[in-house]
Amino acid sequence: MGTPPRSTVRYAATTLLAALTLTGILTGCTPSAPPAAAGPRSPSPSPSSPAQICTSLVSYWAKETLLGTKWSGLDWEQKGLSNAQYAIHEDAVAAGRAEERTAGQAKALELIDRFVAQRCAEQEGATRSPGSRRPPT
């Protein structure tokens, strides 16, 4: 059969050393402090509302599109947008481009955030997609 390859021996030795160190055998250490007392748990964050999720998702992609980043060219489906969210995205990008021409990029990005938040709230998250999703324009 022969001797095992060096990589196998190294892996076995490394695994053994790690296991011995974790158990404290090699270092002679054992935990001296008692485990931390369980204090009052902080409340877990409340789940985001559909409008908050819509705002976060659509704002992100609208700003990426306005900035022309590497990932801005993904299609609506790859971005995970519903039909209604895609419509908000397209309107936000158009409004952002118009604002960018007159007031600059920073103002355009601010406008996108406000625009998308308002539309997502009005449409309660804009998660509906009647029928099949529409193809991107």
Side-chain angles (χ1 to χ4, degrees):
M1 223 174 148
T3 60
R6 284 186 182 188
S7 62
T8 303
V9 173
R10 271 192 222 134
Y11 177 78
T14 303
T15 303
L16 179 61
L17 277 173
L20 291 174
T21 301
L22 288 174
T23 59
I25 293 175
L26 269 183
T27 59
C29 296
T30 58
S32 58
R41 297 183 115 187
S42 62
S44 59
S46 62
S48 298
S49 72
Q52 291 169 323
I53 294 168
C54 172
T55 298
S56 177
L57 180 66
V58 177
S59 257
Y60 174 82
W61 285 117
K63 289 189 272 187
E64 290 291 299
T65 300
L66 185 79
L67 295 171
T69 64
K70 176 181 177 182
W71 299 109
S72 65
L74 295 176
D75 67 28
W76 57 276
E77 197 168 35
Q78 291 168 317
K79 292 175 182 177
L81 301 175
S82 69
N83 274 343
Q85 290 167 344
Y86 180 68
I88 294 169
H89 171 273
E90 292 299 295
D91 292 345
V93 170
R97 286 188 174 137
E99 182 75 4
E100 185 177 36
R101 284 189 293 275
T102 60
Q105 191 176 66
K107 293 292 183 186
L109 296 174
E110 290 173 17
L111 173 80
I112 285 175
D113 282 334
R114 289 190 313 273
F115 182 94
V116 170
Q118 179 182 353
R119 292 276 301 271
C120 285
E122 289 171 356
Q123 296 182 34
E124 299 173 349
T127 56
R128 63 197 169 284
S129 286
S132 62
R133 295 184 179 186
R134 70 179 184 188
T137 54

